[in-house]
Amino acid sequence: MPPARGLIVAGVLLAAAIVVPATAAQDDRPRRAVNLTLQDEGCPAGPDRFCVQPGNVTLEEGTDLVLRVTNEGRIAHNLTFADETAPSLAEHGMNRTLAADETQRLQIPWPAIEEAGQPNATLECGRDGHAALGEVFTIHVPSLAESDERPQPGFGTLGALAAVSVGAWAARRR
Ligand SMILES: [Cu+2]
């Protein structure tokens, strides 16, 4: 194959590699729904502790997370992302505080979770001292922990195509 044609083929394959993942992102992603309660009495850790029940969820790759949060405590509580959380994810926390018996639904789309890239993201009550008393919830995303060790698909494809193209071109030059 002449080198110019090889580069064109490589370019077309590269364009396909970029376009396909972008269009594959759709809103019909699988959805994981979890009912959470915010509690300020009767928590497993003791009578003087606060808690979120359950305390964590393990999320599959590509899945939207929907949290239905009910304040079952005696006082007001909320649930926002911890300070160290990436902005893409942090913006999906609660924007108001719930009075006793109030419920709010938080929808956290997978792209925001993936962009944050945190294998463990923490939500906590933002009211003074509540997180320290145990009012925290963790989103575990095992697939994000693994992604550090494997090459990014887009870059891997690009790198392989570039190497092949340069190799073919160099061979022709000799
Ligand atoms: Cu609280």
Side-chain angles (χ1 to χ4, degrees):
M1 188 183 325
R5 187 179 297 172
L7 285 171
I8 290 168
V9 170
V12 168
L13 288 172
L14 175 59
I18 292 169
V19 169
V20 169
T23 54
Q26 292 165 1
D27 286 325
D28 57 358
R29 287 181 293 268
R31 181 175 292 195
R32 175 79 179 276
V34 184
N35 291 326
L36 299 184
T37 60
L38 308 180
Q39 299 176 205
D40 51 35
E41 60 182 342
C43 289
D48 299 326
R49 302 284 291 178
F50 291 0
C51 55
V52 180
Q53 297 263 54
N56 62 78
V57 64
T58 299
L59 192 67
E60 297 287 311
E61 184 171 17
T63 303
D64 287 357
L65 180 60
V66 179
L67 301 177
R68 186 173 176 276
V69 186
T70 301
N71 179 2
E72 289 195 349
R74 298 158 294 182
I75 59 174
H77 296 284
N78 61 44
L79 204 57
T80 58
F81 280 95
D83 288 344
E84 67 271 19
T85 308
S88 72
L89 193 51
E91 69 181 39
H92 294 282
M94 231 175 241
N95 52 18
R96 66 189 179 91
T97 291
L98 300 181
D101 296 326
E102 260 195 303
T103 295
Q104 189 178 353
R105 185 172 173 277
L106 295 179
Q107 179 149 0
I108 307 172
W110 170 254
I113 296 167
E114 185 179 37
E115 187 183 337
Q118 298 175 226
N120 297 292
T122 303
L123 284 148
E124 58 190 28
C125 183
R127 301 197 70 207
D128 263 0
H130 289 203
L133 284 170
E135 200 176 355
V136 299
F137 177 79
T138 305
I139 303 168
H140 298 294
V141 193
S143 63
L144 294 177
E146 291 157 12
S147 69
D148 284 348
E149 290 145 30
R150 73 186 174 210
Q152 294 294 313
F155 183 77
T157 306
L158 170 65
L161 287 169
V164 167
S165 301
V166 169
W169 178 78
R172 293 279 171 169
R173 295 265 295 181
R174 283 197 193 109

